[in-house]
Amino acid sequence: MNITLAQAEKAIAAAKQKSTAIDTKMNIVVVDGGANVVALARMDGAWLGSLDIANKKAKTARYFDMNTGLLGELSQPGGSLFNIEHSNNGLITFPGGIPIKNKEGVIIGAIGVSGSSVENDHAVAEAGVSAI
């Protein structure tokens, strides 16, 4: 089961609304269950370099079915996943990527957000996930 375009657009709309509410400009990417991009938005004035980061956050969240911030905690020196960020052509292991589940709890995709502090990135990603 994969996220639909309508669901992805709903997540992006909610993420954009949260971003505007906290006065940030974000890049937002939603991927399906296979980590393929379904929808993306680069808000006017958002950093161009953050688009790649948002994409990698979404893919990382889907590849490992966990929030990227949690993966970051596990990948610190001495951690069980140390250096994992070098796999899969580069992962992002700080907050802003979250798996998306359907009503039955099955992962159908993920969202990645980048463009501000990691706290803001995560909050905007959460807003997107909550809209599904």
Side-chain angles (χ1 to χ4, degrees):
M1 181 127 210
N2 280 317
I3 192 166
T4 65
L5 177 58
Q7 290 172 312
E9 289 173 335
K10 189 174 181 180
I12 285 179
K16 285 173 37 182
Q17 184 177 20
K18 176 66 173 182
S19 181
T20 299
I22 61 174
D23 196 28
T24 62
K25 299 170 184 169
M26 299 288 195
N27 292 282
I28 306 156
V29 176
V30 175
V31 298
D32 64 16
N36 303 295
V37 174
V38 175
L40 66 89
R42 179 173 171 253
M43 296 176 69
D44 293 342
W47 293 328
L48 182 59
S50 289
L51 184 56
D52 181 59
I53 295 169
N55 187 39
K56 286 183 179 173
K57 284 182 182 182
K59 288 182 176 189
T60 300
R62 179 56 190 113
Y63 286 162
F64 297 96
D65 296 337
M66 67 175 74
N67 291 3
T68 54
L70 176 58
L71 190 61
E73 291 174 18
L74 298 172
S75 65
Q76 295 303 305
S80 59
L81 298 177
F82 182 60
N83 278 331
I84 194 170
E85 66 274 9
H86 301 292
S87 71
N88 295 286
N89 293 316
L91 302 174
I92 300 294
T93 58
F94 46 86
I98 304 175
I100 298 173
K101 297 178 182 179
N102 65 14
K103 292 177 183 175
E104 292 77 35
V106 176
I107 294 175
I108 58 172
I111 190 170
V113 176
S114 183
S116 184
S117 66
V118 294
E119 294 82 11
N120 285 344
D121 291 356
H122 184 75
V124 171
E126 280 186 320
V129 170
S130 294
I132 303 296

